[in-house]
Amino acid sequence: DQQVKQNSPSLSVQEGRISILNCDYTNSMFDYFLWYKKYPAEGPTFLISISSIKDKNEDGRFTVFLNKSAKHLSLHIVPSQPGDSAVYFCAASPGGGGADGLTFGKGTHLIIQP
Amino acid sequence: SQTIHQWPATLVQPVGSPLSLECTVEGTSNPNLYWYRQAAGRGLQLLFYSVGIGQISSEVPQNLSASRPQDRQFILSSKKLLLSDSGFYLCAWSNLAGVYEQFFGPGTRLTVL
């Protein structure tokens, strides 16, 4: 049973436009959410996170939105750049101190077209 | 600054052979340590985590084991590899002070033939 779902395996966006990556979760115990970016044959790189007490967190071109009632979060990248082409993973944690591992979605492959 | 190392970067092993993957972290003390696996076409699956020396928690029953002989060293092992053990193995660390972000190493690509 997948507790974190990224239903779009891939997404193609034109350079300069907005990229919106979506993520849904089923476990109500999750209260901290993270986005990671991964290039082939490399480890994931932490991008941005959000606590369940917030509904928005912004860091430069990256903004994460959280809708707790819908159990849905999204990552917005504006403007999209060629270097943003990568696989993006959504991850969730039940909190409680942070020692537990993260639960990841299957990832969305973002392709930025020139 | 903190850095995390994994080796080897790639490994090709025959079915039934043993496995030992090593992960070390520099620049931090008492980290939480994690082993994840990414199988082909799938997300990252948590295999083991450790909050201290000799303390290992396993998330899924499997053919693998983990050990933490030193504070900043985490080892993933198997006595006999299966074909299904092929994948990309990632080690990660986090701060014990309640910070949820985990930071990943470069990974090891394991192919079992």
Side-chain angles (χ1 to χ4, degrees):
Chain A
D1 178 34
Q2 242 190 311
Q3 298 185 63
V4 177
K5 301 178 184 179
Q6 293 178 257
N7 291 320
S8 298
S10 66
L11 176 67
S12 185
V13 175
Q14 206 161 18
E15 182 180 356
R17 306 293 287 266
I18 182 171
S19 294
I20 300 176
L21 297 107
N22 293 304
C23 178
D24 298 292
Y25 62 96
T26 58
N27 189 338
S28 300
M29 298 300 292
F30 288 146
D31 70 354
Y32 199 85
F33 304 90
L34 308 93
W35 284 95
Y36 284 83
K37 175 181 179 180
K38 185 181 181 301
Y39 294 117
E42 293 184 10
T45 302
F46 169 70
L47 267 180
I48 192 168
S49 61
I50 188 167
S51 164
S52 61
I53 62 173
K54 294 184 176 181
D55 55 18
K56 177 183 175 181
N57 189 24
E58 191 172 353
D59 184 2
R61 295 187 298 114
F62 302 93
T63 303
V64 55
F65 295 91
L66 175 63
N67 183 334
K68 279 191 68 178
S69 61
K71 293 191 176 67
H72 177 82
L73 63 154
S74 61
L75 174 68
H76 292 210
I77 306 173
V78 182
S80 300
Q81 299 174 354
D84 296 331
S85 294
V87 177
Y88 289 78
F89 289 99
C90 172
S93 170
D100 295 338
L102 299 174
T103 301
F104 283 84
K106 290 188 176 181
T108 296
H109 185 191
L110 176 64
I111 302 163
I112 305 301
Q113 295 185 332
Chain B
S1 64
Q2 300 88 2
T3 56
I4 179 168
H5 304 279
Q6 285 186 246
W7 62 90
T10 60
L11 192 59
V12 180
Q13 292 283 96
V15 168
S17 63
L19 173 74
S20 181
L21 301 181
E22 191 164 341
C23 170
T24 58
V25 181
E26 296 177 357
T28 186
S29 296
N30 300 318
N32 296 322
L33 295 173
Y34 308 85
W35 278 112
Y36 289 87
R37 175 173 59 204
Q38 183 184 16
R42 304 189 67 178
L44 281 69
Q45 180 186 34
L46 178 67
L47 302 175
F48 300 95
Y49 69 92
S50 171
V51 299
I53 295 174
Q55 300 179 60
I56 307 295
S57 296
S58 175
E59 286 297 299
V60 293
Q62 58 202 302
N63 183 41
L64 303 168
S65 61
S67 62
R68 186 169 176 175
Q70 300 180 42
D71 180 47
R72 287 169 286 177
Q73 184 184 33
F74 205 22
I75 297 172
L76 184 69
S77 305
S78 173
K79 291 182 180 177
K80 287 186 178 181
L81 283 168
L82 305 172
L83 286 174
S84 57
D85 292 323
S86 293
F88 192 52
Y89 287 83
L90 290 153
C91 181
W93 72 272
S94 71
N95 191 297
L96 266 180
V99 174
Y100 299 96
E101 287 81 1
Q102 296 180 12
F103 302 95
F104 287 81
T108 295
R109 169 70 61 192
L110 172 66
T111 304
V112 182
L113 301 175

